[in-house]
Amino acid sequence: MEKKRIIKWRSKPQKHDYPAAASYLSLILGEQAAENAAKELESAEMSKFPAKDIFRASMLSLLGVSNSHVERDRAKIIRDEKLSPLLLFRDKRNGKLIIADGYHRLCAVYTFDENAMIPCKIAGPD
């Protein structure tokens, strides 16, 4: 893990993040449920969670810095560019968190600080 850096974030996800989230979620939930989830994400309030907790809840593994997308996001962090918040969805059926958009950003941030608070929107059943 590299030395901690201050990670800069946009105040809200970018418009193109929602269709990307819907596309990914359609693979898991189906087309209509994914569209509904993306709409729910758009209206969700912003939240913050530690990077390590998002990883644990998602049950995903950390991508290495050799991944080109992670490398690109790490470069943004080093250049003090703002990252887009994550879009998350609670999958109650499988008992895990789906990172609908922002997996590579999360991996990049984690390489600097596993305790970093990650701004995100989260949808799905409470």
Side-chain angles (χ1 to χ4, degrees):
M1 187 150 331
E2 282 194 35
K3 76 172 196 146
K4 291 184 183 179
R5 298 185 68 93
I6 295 175
I7 313 293
K8 295 184 179 176
W9 296 95
R10 294 178 179 275
S11 60
K12 59 184 180 179
Q14 295 179 285
K15 289 285 184 204
H16 68 265
D17 293 340
Y18 297 102
S23 175
Y24 178 74
L25 289 171
S26 71
L27 295 169
I28 301 164
L29 308 174
E31 195 79 30
Q32 190 57 55
E35 289 299 324
N36 293 341
K39 287 178 184 162
E40 189 180 339
L41 282 165
E42 285 190 63
S43 62
E45 297 293 320
M46 292 296 298
S47 302
K48 285 188 177 186
F49 296 97
K52 64 184 177 186
D53 289 351
I54 295 172
F55 265 117
R56 287 172 49 211
S58 72
M59 298 180 207
L60 294 172
S61 57
L62 178 66
L63 293 173
V65 295
S66 62
N67 179 282
S68 64
H69 298 285
V70 173
E71 194 174 304
R72 182 191 66 220
D73 288 329
R74 283 178 44 81
K76 286 181 180 180
I77 293 168
I78 291 167
R79 291 190 307 263
D80 287 328
E81 293 179 23
K82 292 181 179 179
L83 301 177
S84 188
L86 277 55
L87 297 176
L88 310 174
F89 186 80
R90 288 184 185 98
D91 181 4
K92 288 281 192 168
R93 288 181 298 174
N94 296 307
K96 68 177 188 174
L97 180 72
I98 298 171
I99 301 172
D101 187 72
Y103 179 40
H104 299 100
R105 294 188 295 277
L106 175 62
C107 291
V109 169
Y110 192 93
T111 64
F112 291 103
D113 183 4
E114 68 183 30
N115 294 307
M117 295 301 287
I118 309 286
C120 56
K121 286 190 171 192
I122 187 166
D126 284 334

